[in-house]
Amino acid sequence: MKNHSSILSCLLFGACLTSSHAVDLYVSPIGSDSNSGLSGQPLASLAGAKLKARAFSGKEAVTVHVADGVYYLPETLVFTPKDSGTGEYPVVYKSNNEGGAVLSGGSELKLSWQPYENGIYKAQTPAGLVIDQVFIDGRKQRMARYPNYDPAKKAEPYQGYAADAFSKERAALWSDPTGGYIHSMHRSRWGGYHYLITGKDTSGEVTFEGGWQNNRKSTMHKDYRMVENIFEELDAEHEWYHNAKTHTLYYKPEAGIDINSAKVEVVRLRNVIEFQGSESKPVKHITLQGFVVRHTARTFMDVKEPLLRSDWAIYRGGAFLLTGTEGIQILDTEFDQVGGNAVFVSNYNRNVLVKGCHIHDTGASGVCFVGDPGAVRDPLFEYGERNDLSEIDRTVGPKTNNYPADSAVEDCLIHGIGRVERQPAGVQISMAQGITVRDCSIYDTARAGINVSEGTWGGHLIERCDVFDTVLETHDHGSFNSWGRDRFWRSDQETTQAAVDKEPSLPFLDAMKTTTIRDSRWRCDHGWDIDLDDGSTNYDIYNNLMLNNGLKLREGFRRHAWNNITVNNGLHPHVWYQGSKDQVYSNIFMAPHRPARMTTPYVDGTRVDENFYDTDEVGVMRVSSKTGWDKNSLFGDPMFIDPAKGDFRVQDGSPAFEVGFKNFPMDQFGVKKPSLKAIARTPVIPVLKAVVGGSPLRKGKKSQAAPQTATWMGASISELSGVEFSAYGVSQDEGGVALIEIPKNSAAAKTELKEGDLVQAVNGKAVKNSAQFFKVLSSIQNKSLKLKVVRDQQVIELEVVRSSIIEVETSSIPDGFSTLPVPSASKLVVVSNKKNGNESLATLTDGKLVGNFGPVFGNGIQNGAYKMDLGKVLPVSSVTSWSYNMGKTRGAQKLTVYGSNSETDPGWNLNAYTPIGTIDTGATKENYLAASVQALDGKNLGEFRWIVWAVSPVSSAGDGENTAFQELAVETQ
């Protein structure tokens, strides 16, 4: 006896179906929505099938079989709660052959092409047609643009950029640029901006609107710019331009192509499929399987919603948009060249599964899980906003359930991410909980492979992934990137430190569950392999192979990293909190740590020890001794099995086992599905920089001691290099000079300057590095200085009163100095810490300048020093040095002057001395140069008996040539 629903199906279709608990419907391009939908009477559309399926949803298992062909959707296909299945009776929409049924958000145009000029063709289009993208024979073409697209520039912004992209001079070539677009990188390359051109003003300047796509408000990058959709720039193959006023499409095909036989498709819809439900009435248990999804519109001008204090702004949309769902599955589907996001999981969603999919060449991100800011307690949106930590809500976790949770992206191939937008990710997670990314290959992305925007609410699992070729066009990011700018976090670290010292649970109010990153392979050539930034908290990181730029941990609490391998690199600890409880152990590192703004011990509940280093012990301990780390770490050859082929397991008998390291599989990274694995790329395996072989416990080659530390007003300073720009939140173009240590009794300590400040300008003159800084200082003789300072990634202005200046003077002849004349001969004795060549040290006090090397240090000596004994402690008013420009390269002076008031010789340990000042004159064309540190206002530089000139090479030639000093002198009061 048939049940009620089976009887209903018989009545509806005029025939009994084969199963009392299953309904099969059919869709075909040659069908009709007036048909029954039975086999042999297929429907024409998924919309028609959806209406038929509603009669059985939740009562019978429904499978909609979709025949091969292209289905141009006239409007977005929307599933509501009425279309839901159940766990027992799901609803499945399935392509008969995987990849055979194409769901298109566009339409095909039948055009009659006519030659125009210069290889360009034109065709009339239907009136009212708006074209966002053009596809020729299935491949997306490019809007007419300047500069032209160059596929060889894979890692350059926009694959071609020009500073004059929309200059007045360039715009003079355009009759009417209205409707064109400006694309520009963020000034610090933290993503990009997009603008709609509105025309030209009366002076010929381009006018435009937009720039809301990045949550770290800034200006356009001065160089990285591109314009498109401008008729006069149509000059390259594969470019097109549509004149909506005249209904004319212009296109320049590739040479040899018969354009009249080509299939032309254009884009209309933003979203092809939407699930529209809510927590109280969700859309449930619908599966979409085996489709190809194409032709969705670009959405970059709609990217306006800021995510919580991250760099991101978003558009809540995608080829598939899920809102208010439970148990939705997207299986074995290809998202091919969609204009925005491929899959966007918005607000309340549970148990979403994206599996076996091929997502490639997207305008924005691959898969996004983004919750409702209203579910967050004390949410903040722009980076500079701060919570009053004495007043924030202390309730753990979310305020509502309106966020994605317990969902997964599995066994997917994701690449070519961010073809239009430059703030994308293969998988993006924000205001979500318990998201799993497993067995995925993700590569060729403009920014992150996987991005977690904040700690709300953790519990994510990333495992067995292969992520590489990331951060290709941007800067300061990682193959895995996270921020932890949760309610506890403030950019002024002192406030956060004090609050967490008092209340250690604060960092875990939002990051309440541990996020795990394991058993994965990472490579980022333009950032870090794994980058936990700005307060990222509560992570376990283990069994990861990092192939290029290592592991960065900035701020945050409770990051446990063990049993990882960082090839040719190591740990990048940036501005940690004291008592962070971070644990870094049993890892194989191949470089010393590279800390940023960390000069004191971090050992209170924090552990960085018992690691294994395939690198120089001296170099490692030079860094680790300052932070109190690696006292029990080991050094030697880890004995990798086959690193050239990517097998970084270690052999039996490896000394790495002695620190607790354990081998983990090297053949399980990335996508597993056979059809996807067959086409997936894998990362380039780097050549080991360290020499591997010989004794397993070989000792590393002792490295040359580091160059002398520069000082100013008694503070140690450093210019930024490599990844250090990230620690200060500035671009490489901006640069600056960082105050890395300010002794309590120094002149700098008596001002408003703080450790970690970054000086970017002095009296309005920009300083990108130490050389510029000291050059600017030597050109300013007034006592008061106005400084532009970056503190906690915010720009402030400070006025500083200094007690000394640097005086520099040059001369073509020995007696040509007027401000710094050569002194008379002195009986004071000068000694050096290393062997000198050429002249004797006595010539440094003989009162003569001559055209020779003087007592010079050999090439490559980084830390040579001269020392003078004044005989007794005296108030010193100036310290001066003269040099000869031997070979036109050795006249420049680069040194730091130190003093000691010890009664006995303090030796060569500069920590026993007081830094007086640094001199960096830069190159000179004159024969002779004099440089002097001088006290102001009749005061002195300090009372000293011993004066040291600690020098560094001044040229790169010959492995670093040292200055040809001729005379050293000290003036006392």
Side-chain angles (χ1 to χ4, degrees), residues 288-309:
L288 302 173
Q289 184 171 9
F291 296 100
V292 174
V293 181
R294 291 190 182 133
H295 309 146
T296 63
R298 304 185 303 175
T299 54
F300 59 89
M301 289 305 296
D302 298 308
V303 176
K304 296 181 178 181
E305 180 184 341
L307 296 184
L308 304 184
R309 287 200 290 181

Side-chain angles (χ1 to χ4, degrees), residues 702-755:
K702 292 187 180 297
S703 62
Q704 175 66 259
Q708 308 292 356
T709 301
T711 65
W712 176 62
M713 296 182 63
S716 297
I717 68 169
S718 174
E719 62 186 43
L720 305 186
S721 64
V723 298
E724 293 174 325
F725 294 93
S726 171
Y728 295 88
V730 300
S731 69
Q732 294 185 14
D733 290 336
E734 296 169 315
V737 178
L739 278 67
I740 57 176
E741 189 172 3
I742 301 179
K744 292 182 180 179
N745 297 323
S746 66
K750 299 174 183 177
T751 70
E752 295 182 60
L753 291 167
K754 294 184 177 181
E755 287 185 2

Side-chain angles (χ1 to χ4, degrees), residues 698-930:
R698 63 181 171 81
K699 293 183 178 180
K701 178 182 177 182
K702 292 187 180 297
S703 62
Q704 175 66 259
Q708 308 292 356
T709 301
T711 65
W712 176 62
M713 296 182 63
S716 297
I717 68 169
S718 174
E719 62 186 43
L720 305 186
S721 64
V723 298
E724 293 174 325
F725 294 93
S726 171
Y728 295 88
V730 300
S731 69
Q732 294 185 14
D733 290 336
E734 296 169 315
V737 178
L739 278 67
I740 57 176
E741 189 172 3
I742 301 179
K744 292 182 180 179
N745 297 323
S746 66
K750 299 174 183 177
T751 70
E752 295 182 60
L753 291 167
K754 294 184 177 181
E755 287 185 2
D757 282 350
L758 184 74
V759 179
Q760 290 192 315
V762 180
N763 284 13
K765 296 181 179 180
V767 291
K768 295 174 61 174
N769 51 47
S770 296
Q772 289 183 6
F773 179 66
F774 288 110
K775 184 176 182 180
V776 169
L777 287 177
S778 65
S779 69
I780 301 171
Q781 301 305 306
N782 48 306
K783 185 176 181 180
S784 179
L785 302 175
K786 292 184 178 180
L787 307 180
K788 174 187 173 183
V789 172
V790 175
R791 177 181 293 168
D792 298 321
Q793 300 195 25
Q794 304 293 320
V795 175
I796 61 174
E797 302 287 339
L798 293 180
E799 186 166 348
V800 172
V801 176
R802 56 180 175 169
S803 58
S804 65
I805 61 170
I806 305 295
E807 185 81 48
V808 178
E809 186 179 8
T810 59
S811 174
S812 60
I813 56 177
D815 58 356
F817 292 97
S818 58
T819 304
L820 300 173
V822 181
S824 302
S826 167
K827 294 182 180 180
L828 295 177
V829 175
V830 175
V831 296
S832 66
N833 67 336
K834 295 181 182 295
K835 182 180 179 181
N836 303 99
N838 299 285
E839 308 302 317
S840 70
L841 290 167
T843 61
L844 292 175
T845 56
D846 64 2
K848 299 177 182 179
L849 302 186
V850 294
N852 61 28
F853 283 98
V856 68
F857 290 112
N859 291 356
I861 297 297
Q862 296 284 331
N863 54 352
Y866 305 97
K867 178 166 57 181
M868 178 185 288
D869 181 4
L870 304 182
K872 61 180 180 180
V873 175
L874 295 169
V876 174
S877 55
S878 70
V879 179
T880 311
S881 48
W882 290 260
S883 56
Y884 174 66
N885 198 16
M886 189 73 184
K888 302 300 181 183
T889 58
R890 295 181 181 263
Q893 296 187 25
K894 187 175 183 179
L895 67 148
T896 298
V897 179
Y898 295 85
S900 171
N901 58 10
S902 173
E903 290 297 328
T904 58
D905 189 343
W908 295 105
N909 181 3
L910 296 181
N911 292 327
Y913 291 80
T914 299
I916 297 174
T918 291
I919 295 170
D920 190 345
T921 65
T924 178
K925 294 182 180 179
E926 296 289 351
N927 290 331
Y928 297 95
L929 181 145

Side-chain angles (χ1 to χ4, degrees), residues 221 237 298 304 306 316 376 378 458 506 600 638 656 890 900 910 933 951 965:
H221 196 284
E237 292 181 354
R298 304 185 303 175
K304 296 181 178 181
R316 286 185 186 264
V376 181
D378 301 302
L506 283 180
T600 57
R890 295 181 181 263
S900 171
L910 296 181
V933 184
V951 305
F965 285 103

Side-chain angles (χ1 to χ4, degrees), residues 4 9 48 54 185 231 347 397 496 610 617 657 729 750 759 770 812 850 869 883 902:
H4 175 74
S9 67
R54 277 186 178 176
M185 301 302 292
F231 180 60
N347 295 337
T496 304
E610 295 183 89
E617 180 175 357
F657 292 131
K750 299 174 183 177
V759 179
S770 296
S812 60
V850 294
D869 181 4
S883 56
S902 173

Side-chain angles (χ1 to χ4, degrees), residues 584-638:
V584 181
Y585 60 94
S586 299
N587 301 285
I588 296 178
F589 292 137
M590 298 181 68
H593 308 312
R594 296 191 62 182
R597 294 170 55 189
M598 296 175 62
T599 58
T600 57
Y602 289 79
V603 293
D604 181 14
T606 299
R607 175 191 179 198
V608 182
D609 202 357
E610 295 183 89
N611 296 296
F612 190 87
Y613 291 87
D614 182 12
T615 189
D616 172 26
E617 180 175 357
V618 173
V620 170
M621 296 312 299
R622 183 186 301 121
V623 176
S624 293
S625 61
K626 294 180 180 180
T627 49
W629 296 345
D630 290 310
K631 294 179 180 178
N632 300 291
S633 293
L634 298 179
F635 302 82
D637 180 1

